[in-house]
Amino acid sequence: MPVYHRVTQGEFLAQIAAKYGFRNPATIWDDPRNAQLKKKRKSPHVLMPGDILVIPDKSEKRQEAAVTRVHQFVLDEPKVKLRIALKDWDGEPLKSMECVLKVGSQIYNLTTNAEGVIEEEIPVTATEGTLTIKEMGEEIKLQIGHLDPSSEETGWKARLRNLGYLAEPGEPDAQTLRWALEEFQCNNGLKVDGTCNDQTRAKLENTHGS
Amino acid sequence: MSGKSDPPISKATAGGLSAVHPTLKPRDTIPVAPAFTNELNTYQLTLVPKACWKVEDMRFAFDSSFVLPEMKEELALLAELISQHSEEREGVRRKPPLSIFGHADPVGKDDYNKTLSGRRAMAIYAALTRKTEMWERLYTQPFGGDNWGNPAVNAMLGHLGYSSGAPTDRAKAFQRASGLKDDGIVGPRTREKLFLAYMDSLCGENLKLTPEDFLAQGADPNGRGDYQGCSEFNPVRIFSQEEEQKYSRPENKNERNRENAPNRRVMIFLFRPGRKVAPARWPCPAALEGPDACRKRFWSDAQARLANGPARREFKETRDTFACRFYHRFAVNSPCESPLPPPKGFAFLSVIVFFHQQPIADLAVEFFAAGADGKPGAAVGEKVKTDEDGVAKLLKPVPIGNYVCRVQYQPETVVCTVPDIEDPFILVLPIGRPYYDFENDFEFTGRKQR
């Protein structure tokens, strides 16, 4: 019997798959019963709390083994790739920038590439981390898997925040939000009207990279 | 009254102030999505000032970019601010990069105001970096009312101590002291020496910057990113329709000019050491360019922001008077553009002096903590003078309590008790009475809580 999984904040496909014991998350995502959700969400790692994911029944994996010996089956800890582009205030990539990514007890010393990007395989169970860019005096607290789809208000606001247009914590007031939208529109050659229309949302998603 | 430490607030002088911006709390945690295929997350830095410095119109010659000697006082605050925000890194002391913004009032044409505000920003930049050739440019290329001319030369000579005798003799004395031929003609060579000596005196030893100390590090020959004029696009005060109509009449020109004074200012923002901008990516046009590029960065409702409405608007209250969206962010939390209210338990002391229903200017006023008997106790703050509107105000907020003020007015000295109020307290000079007690007219205790 399939399980209907209701997505909660912070969950993403690879993590859900690991929870249900799937080695390959695509098995879930490619299930025909998830076709509608697949159409709605561009990435199974950017889901909305409340989305329903159908978890198909697991198929068995058979392994022949000699009966006279002790066999050890080791499951690798499932990993997921985290990619972050670091940019200066004007959108220029921060190249060759040394930074430290901490996820759980793991510490990764990374350097951004020519596009300002860092990339690391992190445990699929990770929910939070910190990224420190010493040179710029920045310590960024990451909530892994918490990015909502850009079609949702929480999602496009999150992208405005990540892109530096909303720099203060908490819910922005009307003028602050208008500032953020207009500056983003202005910097990206869109019509400047301070409202988050489809075009703006699409551009936000595109600029953010997810 | 004692026991409470000074509030952590801006430092003010008669012609300006310096302040630390409120610390921006870090953004909330950043939500990121792990990649399913090859998706990215982007984290972009922000460019937020750490501190600000402002100098008012009164520190410039009228309608001019000539810096008056009195700006020395504000420049001392700037020196202090820069040192306070410098950071030690790998054995190198790094200064906070600066960017200068000049502002004009809304009288006159945009283009004219753009240039005038730019010239004022330039004048300060030149003084800080000792670029005498920039002053020479301002001097030799007058612009509308901004014509330095002899008054500026005389003011500089006077400030440097060459204050007696005919102008030619003063110039000669300066020339002799500077190792120049004493022909008494203030030509380019004399001006170069004069400008430099004057800049040195204004800024002092400690405040000597290089182009690298600015936000764009002098990368643009016209100073983009380092200094610019905002024309009249970012006023801190916008008159009501009624006021605008009234002030447009020629007989009210002086009053309009006075009421517009807060709009004519030069601001400097200080950023985190190490931050820099590429001039090509900086939206502001150069100081002497026209205002077209400014308009590209306007709020979509900029016209409404600049329009005269039914009531007067002040940026510190409404925060909607700037047309430039780019500038708005630098300034919106800046204590230099909207002075912070006094901290809890503190208030500003001020008094208005009237005599025969007329405000009296230029009177010395002293404030004291009130003793138990209501008589003056310890002096509070410096002695201040009443302005044209008869207002004398202590620039630093004081703890709430009872104060006494003494107004020197010949031949009598008037003493009265001042309650702690933000709005000026009106003191009417008694006629023919040496001492006047307000005890029966006013509540002395003031508000306990704010």
Side-chain angles (χ1 to χ4, degrees):
Chain A
M1 283 293 287
V3 176
Y4 292 84
H5 179 87
R6 181 183 284 270
V7 174
T8 59
Q9 185 56 268
E11 283 188 319
F12 53 94
L13 181 71
Q15 193 192 72
I16 297 166
K19 197 185 282 176
Y20 286 96
F22 284 83
R23 298 297 296 159
N24 182 6
T27 314
I28 299 177
W29 194 234
D30 292 339
D31 189 285
R33 286 164 293 188
N34 286 323
Q36 228 179 336
L37 184 66
K38 199 172 169 182
K39 224 170 121 186
K40 195 169 158 194
R41 304 293 181 217
K42 284 183 193 149
S43 161
H45 285 179
V46 187
L47 298 172
M48 192 62 193
D51 283 351
I52 304 287
L53 204 57
V54 180
I55 314 291
D57 294 329
K58 269 183 284 187
S59 56
E60 280 175 35
K61 180 173 182 175
R62 282 168 184 274
Q63 178 76 48
E64 301 273 334
V67 288
T68 54
R69 289 179 57 191
V70 177
H71 296 274
Q72 249 189 335
F73 294 95
V74 180
L75 284 177
D76 293 338
E77 189 189 26
K79 294 266 176 112
V80 72
K81 196 163 47 174
L82 183 63
R83 301 180 76 223
I84 302 175
L86 299 175
K87 291 185 177 171
D88 206 347
W89 72 281
D90 56 3
E92 286 291 287
L94 295 174
K95 299 171 197 169
S96 316
M97 191 67 74
E98 281 178 22
C99 34
V100 180
L101 175 67
K102 276 188 206 171
V103 178
S105 57
Q106 294 275 15
I107 295 173
Y108 310 93
N109 288 304
L110 307 167
T111 306
T112 60
N113 66 15
E115 280 79 48
V117 176
I118 51 152
E119 189 176 308
E120 188 57 57
E121 299 275 338
I122 58 165
V124 77
T125 49
T127 55
E128 48 193 42
T130 53
L131 180 65
T132 312
I133 322 170
K134 207 176 156 207
E135 172 74 26
M136 308 309 282
E138 295 268 335
E139 193 182 284
I140 311 155
K141 283 193 183 130
L142 305 172
Q143 275 187 306
I144 299 155
H146 283 252
L147 188 70
D148 288 342
S150 63
S151 54
E152 310 291 328
E153 190 180 325
T154 48
W156 58 257
K157 278 188 185 166
R159 285 165 182 78
L160 280 175
R161 176 160 282 130
N162 290 5
L163 292 169
Y165 292 93
L166 288 174
E168 279 161 283
E171 193 53 30
D173 61 33
Q175 175 159 266
T176 309
L177 187 59
R178 189 192 182 111
W179 187 92
L181 285 164
E182 288 199 4
E183 276 293 280
F184 177 77
Q185 289 168 332
C186 182
N187 283 335
N188 288 281
L190 302 172
K191 184 171 175 273
V192 177
D193 63 1
T195 63
C196 195
N197 48 37
D198 289 347
Q199 230 189 347
T200 307
R201 262 196 290 271
K203 194 78 193 176
L204 270 171
E205 188 174 309
N206 189 270
T207 311
H208 188 262
S210 55
Chain B
M1 233 132 286
S2 58
K4 270 186 190 165
S5 58
D6 275 355
I9 202 172
S10 53
K11 286 198 174 167
T13 55
L17 76 154
S18 70
V20 179
H21 278 225
T23 329
L24 201 63
K25 287 183 228 114
R27 279 177 251 183
D28 283 337
T29 45
I30 292 298
V32 290
F36 184 64
T37 49
N38 229 8
E39 298 92 343
L40 265 176
N41 300 278
T42 302
Y43 182 83
Q44 197 160 315
L45 304 181
T46 53
L47 188 64
V48 184
K50 306 287 275 183
C52 61
W53 175 87
K54 178 173 76 169
V55 68
E56 307 268 9
D57 184 49
M58 62 188 282
R59 296 307 198 212
F60 290 94
F62 180 71
D63 202 19
S64 165
S65 58
F66 174 61
V67 174
L68 295 174
E70 289 78 14
M71 202 190 284
K72 200 178 165 105
E73 220 182 324
E74 287 74 37
L75 289 165
L77 288 185
L78 181 62
E80 201 182 327
L81 199 65
I82 290 173
S83 137
Q84 194 185 334
H85 289 270
S86 295
E87 279 175 13
E88 193 88 18
R89 199 186 158 90
E90 283 149 16
V92 185
R93 188 118 180 107
R94 301 200 303 178
K95 291 195 191 101
L98 272 53
S99 193
I100 309 177
F101 295 82
H103 298 279
D105 72 22
V107 181
K109 288 215 162 62
D110 290 0
D111 294 45
Y112 178 84
N113 284 333
K114 172 76 177 58
T115 306
L116 179 64
S117 58
R119 284 170 67 103
R120 282 191 167 180
M122 237 172 108
I124 291 187
Y125 175 85
L128 295 173
T129 53
R130 308 293 194 274
K131 287 195 178 288
T132 53
E133 69 277 13
M134 285 173 79
W135 274 22
E136 180 68 6
R137 190 170 167 191
L138 294 170
Y139 179 92
T140 54
Q141 298 172 21
F143 173 77
D146 182 12
N147 185 356
W148 290 28
N150 288 334
V153 168
N154 290 335
M156 286 186 266
L157 284 171
H159 175 72
L160 294 169
Y162 304 93
S163 48
S164 58
T168 327
D169 295 333
R170 295 201 253 157
K172 279 183 184 169
F174 174 77
Q175 286 169 328
R176 276 192 298 274
S178 313
L180 294 163
K181 187 170 163 267
D182 60 339
D183 57 5
I185 301 162
V186 183
R189 288 197 56 203
T190 306
R191 280 199 298 271
E192 190 189 333
K193 295 258 186 199
L194 180 61
F195 291 165
L196 188 61
Y198 185 64
M199 287 169 170
D200 276 339
S201 169
L202 279 182
C203 298
E205 270 297 297
N206 293 334
L207 189 58
K208 196 169 184 177
L209 303 179
T210 64
E212 287 71 36
D213 294 325
F214 288 80
L215 196 54
Q217 304 190 345
D220 181 65
N222 298 313
R224 285 186 63 193
D226 295 334
Y227 57 92
Q228 49 263 306
C230 295
S231 185
E232 58 187 69
F233 302 138
N234 301 317
V236 286
R237 169 179 291 173
I238 292 182
F239 296 147
S240 68
Q241 283 154 349
E242 200 184 330
E243 285 173 313
E244 181 63 19
Q245 224 166 13
K246 181 180 138 197
Y247 294 145
S248 63
R249 290 196 291 273
E251 70 267 26
N252 295 326
K253 203 178 146 194
N254 286 343
E255 194 184 342
R256 175 182 69 179
N257 198 41
R258 203 167 65 224
E259 289 295 311
N260 252 329
N263 290 331
R264 300 184 297 265
R265 65 211 191 273
V266 174
M267 292 275 301
I268 298 183
F269 292 112
L270 287 78
F271 296 84
R272 222 184 126 254
R275 292 315 309 263
K276 66 174 174 191
V277 305
R281 298 199 148 257
W282 185 252
C284 308
L288 298 180
E289 266 179 83
D292 289 349
C294 295
R295 293 203 180 85
K296 289 189 192 144
R297 212 67 191 195
F298 275 10
W299 284 96
S300 61
D301 60 350
Q303 270 193 320
R305 285 170 190 263
L306 292 181
N308 305 102
R312 175 187 277 211
R313 280 179 296 139
E314 305 269 357
F315 181 78
K316 62 183 177 204
E317 284 149 17
T318 62
R319 298 191 182 251
D320 63 356
T321 61
F322 299 161
C324 177
R325 202 177 47 238
F326 185 68
Y327 184 77
H328 180 96
R329 184 189 242 183
F330 289 154
V332 68
N333 289 321
S334 175
C336 296
E337 290 288 47
S338 49
L340 298 169
K344 209 173 167 186
F346 285 82
F348 287 110
L349 273 180
S350 61
V351 65
I352 308 183
V353 184
F354 278 92
F355 186 64
H356 288 278
Q357 282 89 47
Q358 287 297 313
I360 309 295
D362 236 20
L363 285 182
V365 176
E366 284 172 284
F367 293 95
F368 304 90
D373 53 358
K375 292 272 171 356
V380 176
E382 307 266 297
K383 199 181 273 190
V384 283
K385 283 204 164 171
T386 57
D387 64 13
E388 287 175 20
D389 299 315
V391 179
K393 184 177 173 183
L394 271 193
L395 294 163
K396 248 189 168 160
V398 294
I400 284 175
N402 292 335
Y403 294 88
V404 171
C405 90
R406 179 183 289 154
V407 180
Q408 251 127 38
Y409 188 61
Q410 304 213 333
E412 310 96 354
T413 290
V414 181
V415 178
C416 78
T417 302
V418 182
D420 54 276
I421 38 169
E422 263 178 73
D423 293 325
F425 168 84
I426 297 177
L427 169 64
V428 180
L429 287 181
I431 304 157
R433 276 169 65 185
Y435 182 88
Y436 188 78
D437 195 345
F438 279 84
E439 196 150 4
N440 299 318
D441 303 329
F442 288 93
E443 172 99 16
F444 288 156
T445 47
R447 273 171 279 166
K448 292 274 181 241
Q449 281 295 320
R450 190 163 300 278

PDB file of all heavy atoms in Angstrom, chain B residues 54-68:
ATOM      1  N   LYS B  54      27.142  64.442   9.099  1.00  0.00           N
ATOM      2  CA  LYS B  54      26.394  65.443   8.343  1.00  0.00           C
ATOM      3  C   LYS B  54      26.909  66.837   8.670  1.00  0.00           C
ATOM      4  O   LYS B  54      27.236  67.126   9.819  1.00  0.00           O
ATOM      5  CB  LYS B  54      24.903  65.366   8.694  1.00  0.00           C
ATOM      6  CG  LYS B  54      24.077  66.436   7.972  1.00  0.00           C
ATOM      7  CD  LYS B  54      22.591  66.261   8.186  1.00  0.00           C
ATOM      8  CE  LYS B  54      22.177  66.716   9.566  1.00  0.00           C
ATOM      9  NZ  LYS B  54      20.707  66.782   9.676  1.00  0.00           N
ATOM     10  N   VAL B  55      26.974  67.659   7.645  1.00  0.00           N
ATOM     11  CA  VAL B  55      27.285  69.060   7.901  1.00  0.00           C
ATOM     12  C   VAL B  55      26.181  69.894   7.267  1.00  0.00           C
ATOM     13  O   VAL B  55      25.674  69.596   6.191  1.00  0.00           O
ATOM     14  CB  VAL B  55      28.702  69.433   7.400  1.00  0.00           C
ATOM     15  CG1 VAL B  55      28.797  69.393   5.887  1.00  0.00           C
ATOM     16  CG2 VAL B  55      29.104  70.801   7.921  1.00  0.00           C
ATOM     17  N   GLU B  56      25.768  70.915   7.996  1.00  0.00           N
ATOM     18  CA  GLU B  56      24.631  71.733   7.563  1.00  0.00           C
ATOM     19  C   GLU B  56      25.086  72.861   6.647  1.00  0.00           C
ATOM     20  O   GLU B  56      26.256  73.219   6.584  1.00  0.00           O
ATOM     21  CB  GLU B  56      23.935  72.347   8.796  1.00  0.00           C
ATOM     22  CG  GLU B  56      23.536  71.349   9.855  1.00  0.00           C
ATOM     23  CD  GLU B  56      22.123  70.832   9.688  1.00  0.00           C
ATOM     24  OE1 GLU B  56      21.488  71.124   8.646  1.00  0.00           O
ATOM     25  OE2 GLU B  56      21.660  70.114  10.601  1.00  0.00           O
ATOM     26  N   ASP B  57      24.091  73.424   6.012  1.00  0.00           N
ATOM     27  CA  ASP B  57      24.249  74.548   5.098  1.00  0.00           C
ATOM     28  C   ASP B  57      25.072  75.704   5.688  1.00  0.00           C
ATOM     29  O   ASP B  57      25.861  76.345   5.006  1.00  0.00           O
ATOM     30  CB  ASP B  57      22.831  75.030   4.768  1.00  0.00           C
ATOM     31  CG  ASP B  57      22.796  76.131   3.748  1.00  0.00           C
ATOM     32  OD1 ASP B  57      23.445  75.982   2.711  1.00  0.00           O
ATOM     33  OD2 ASP B  57      22.105  77.130   3.999  1.00  0.00           O
ATOM     34  N   MET B  58      24.885  75.939   6.982  1.00  0.00           N
ATOM     35  CA  MET B  58      25.527  77.105   7.606  1.00  0.00           C
ATOM     36  C   MET B  58      27.052  77.047   7.566  1.00  0.00           C
ATOM     37  O   MET B  58      27.715  78.048   7.762  1.00  0.00           O
ATOM     38  CB  MET B  58      25.074  77.243   9.070  1.00  0.00           C
ATOM     39  CG  MET B  58      25.465  76.044   9.921  1.00  0.00           C
ATOM     40  SD  MET B  58      24.742  76.073  11.582  1.00  0.00           S
ATOM     41  CE  MET B  58      25.806  77.262  12.382  1.00  0.00           C
ATOM     42  N   ARG B  59      27.596  75.876   7.315  1.00  0.00           N
ATOM     43  CA  ARG B  59      29.055  75.744   7.253  1.00  0.00           C
ATOM     44  C   ARG B  59      29.625  76.029   5.868  1.00  0.00           C
ATOM     45  O   ARG B  59      30.817  75.865   5.632  1.00  0.00           O
ATOM     46  CB  ARG B  59      29.490  74.354   7.703  1.00  0.00           C
ATOM     47  CG  ARG B  59      29.170  74.042   9.153  1.00  0.00           C
ATOM     48  CD  ARG B  59      29.694  75.107  10.099  1.00  0.00           C
ATOM     49  NE  ARG B  59      29.765  74.625  11.461  1.00  0.00           N
ATOM     50  CZ  ARG B  59      29.588  75.369  12.534  1.00  0.00           C
ATOM     51  NH1 ARG B  59      29.272  76.654  12.417  1.00  0.00           N
ATOM     52  NH2 ARG B  59      29.720  74.860  13.742  1.00  0.00           N
ATOM     53  N   PHE B  60      28.735  76.392   4.933  1.00  0.00           N
ATOM     54  CA  PHE B  60      29.176  76.826   3.609  1.00  0.00           C
ATOM     55  C   PHE B  60      28.813  78.293   3.453  1.00  0.00           C
ATOM     56  O   PHE B  60      27.835  78.767   4.053  1.00  0.00           O
ATOM     57  CB  PHE B  60      28.462  76.031   2.512  1.00  0.00           C
ATOM     58  CG  PHE B  60      28.887  74.599   2.412  1.00  0.00           C
ATOM     59  CD1 PHE B  60      28.186  73.607   3.073  1.00  0.00           C
ATOM     60  CD2 PHE B  60      30.000  74.241   1.657  1.00  0.00           C
ATOM     61  CE1 PHE B  60      28.573  72.280   2.988  1.00  0.00           C
ATOM     62  CE2 PHE B  60      30.395  72.914   1.560  1.00  0.00           C
ATOM     63  CZ  PHE B  60      29.682  71.934   2.234  1.00  0.00           C
ATOM     64  N   ALA B  61      29.577  78.990   2.620  1.00  0.00           N
ATOM     65  CA  ALA B  61      29.204  80.361   2.293  1.00  0.00           C
ATOM     66  C   ALA B  61      27.862  80.299   1.559  1.00  0.00           C
ATOM     67  O   ALA B  61      27.511  79.287   0.952  1.00  0.00           O
ATOM     68  CB  ALA B  61      30.270  80.989   1.408  1.00  0.00           C
ATOM     69  N   PHE B  62      27.099  81.372   1.632  1.00  0.00           N
ATOM     70  CA  PHE B  62      25.752  81.393   1.095  1.00  0.00           C
ATOM     71  C   PHE B  62      25.713  80.978  -0.379  1.00  0.00           C
ATOM     72  O   PHE B  62      26.428  81.544  -1.201  1.00  0.00           O
ATOM     73  CB  PHE B  62      25.127  82.785   1.273  1.00  0.00           C
ATOM     74  CG  PHE B  62      23.730  82.865   0.728  1.00  0.00           C
ATOM     75  CD1 PHE B  62      22.695  82.218   1.380  1.00  0.00           C
ATOM     76  CD2 PHE B  62      23.467  83.551  -0.444  1.00  0.00           C
ATOM     77  CE1 PHE B  62      21.403  82.270   0.876  1.00  0.00           C
ATOM     78  CE2 PHE B  62      22.178  83.604  -0.957  1.00  0.00           C
ATOM     79  CZ  PHE B  62      21.149  82.956  -0.299  1.00  0.00           C
ATOM     80  N   ASP B  63      24.905  79.954  -0.665  1.00  0.00           N
ATOM     81  CA  ASP B  63      24.706  79.476  -2.042  1.00  0.00           C
ATOM     82  C   ASP B  63      26.030  79.055  -2.699  1.00  0.00           C
ATOM     83  O   ASP B  63      26.148  79.058  -3.917  1.00  0.00           O
ATOM     84  CB  ASP B  63      24.022  80.582  -2.867  1.00  0.00           C
ATOM     85  CG  ASP B  63      23.307  79.998  -4.106  1.00  0.00           C
ATOM     86  OD1 ASP B  63      23.052  78.786  -4.110  1.00  0.00           O
ATOM     87  OD2 ASP B  63      23.027  80.760  -5.048  1.00  0.00           O
ATOM     88  N   SER B  64      27.008  78.705  -1.888  1.00  0.00           N
ATOM     89  CA  SER B  64      28.347  78.474  -2.420  1.00  0.00           C
ATOM     90  C   SER B  64      28.904  77.151  -1.935  1.00  0.00           C
ATOM     91  O   SER B  64      28.413  76.560  -0.969  1.00  0.00           O
ATOM     92  CB  SER B  64      29.245  79.625  -1.950  1.00  0.00           C
ATOM     93  OG  SER B  64      30.605  79.302  -2.121  1.00  0.00           O
ATOM     94  N   SER B  65      29.949  76.695  -2.625  1.00  0.00           N
ATOM     95  CA  SER B  65      30.614  75.470  -2.188  1.00  0.00           C
ATOM     96  C   SER B  65      31.841  75.785  -1.335  1.00  0.00           C
ATOM     97  O   SER B  65      32.563  74.877  -0.941  1.00  0.00           O
ATOM     98  CB  SER B  65      31.023  74.631  -3.409  1.00  0.00           C
ATOM     99  OG  SER B  65      31.875  75.373  -4.252  1.00  0.00           O
ATOM    100  N   PHE B  66      32.043  77.075  -1.041  1.00  0.00           N
ATOM    101  CA  PHE B  66      33.190  77.430  -0.209  1.00  0.00           C
ATOM    102  C   PHE B  66      32.932  77.012   1.244  1.00  0.00           C
ATOM    103  O   PHE B  66      31.931  77.384   1.852  1.00  0.00           O
ATOM    104  CB  PHE B  66      33.490  78.928  -0.288  1.00  0.00           C
ATOM    105  CG  PHE B  66      34.573  79.345   0.666  1.00  0.00           C
ATOM    106  CD1 PHE B  66      35.850  78.801   0.564  1.00  0.00           C
ATOM    107  CD2 PHE B  66      34.320  80.253   1.690  1.00  0.00           C
ATOM    108  CE1 PHE B  66      36.848  79.140   1.464  1.00  0.00           C
ATOM    109  CE2 PHE B  66      35.315  80.605   2.584  1.00  0.00           C
ATOM    110  CZ  PHE B  66      36.583  80.056   2.469  1.00  0.00           C
ATOM    111  N   VAL B  67      33.852  76.230   1.766  1.00  0.00           N
ATOM    112  CA  VAL B  67      33.747  75.703   3.123  1.00  0.00           C
ATOM    113  C   VAL B  67      34.195  76.769   4.120  1.00  0.00           C
ATOM    114  O   VAL B  67      35.320  77.255   4.046  1.00  0.00           O
ATOM    115  CB  VAL B  67      34.637  74.447   3.263  1.00  0.00           C
ATOM    116  CG1 VAL B  67      34.659  73.954   4.688  1.00  0.00           C
ATOM    117  CG2 VAL B  67      34.166  73.350   2.316  1.00  0.00           C
ATOM    118  N   LEU B  68      33.316  77.124   5.035  1.00  0.00           N
ATOM    119  CA  LEU B  68      33.654  78.160   6.007  1.00  0.00           C
ATOM    120  C   LEU B  68      34.553  77.599   7.121  1.00  0.00           C
ATOM    121  O   LEU B  68      34.518  76.405   7.404  1.00  0.00           O
ATOM    122  CB  LEU B  68      32.369  78.734   6.619  1.00  0.00           C
ATOM    123  CG  LEU B  68      31.463  79.487   5.637  1.00  0.00           C
ATOM    124  CD1 LEU B  68      30.151  79.891   6.323  1.00  0.00           C
ATOM    125  CD2 LEU B  68      32.165  80.725   5.072  1.00  0.00           C
TER     126      LEU B  68
END
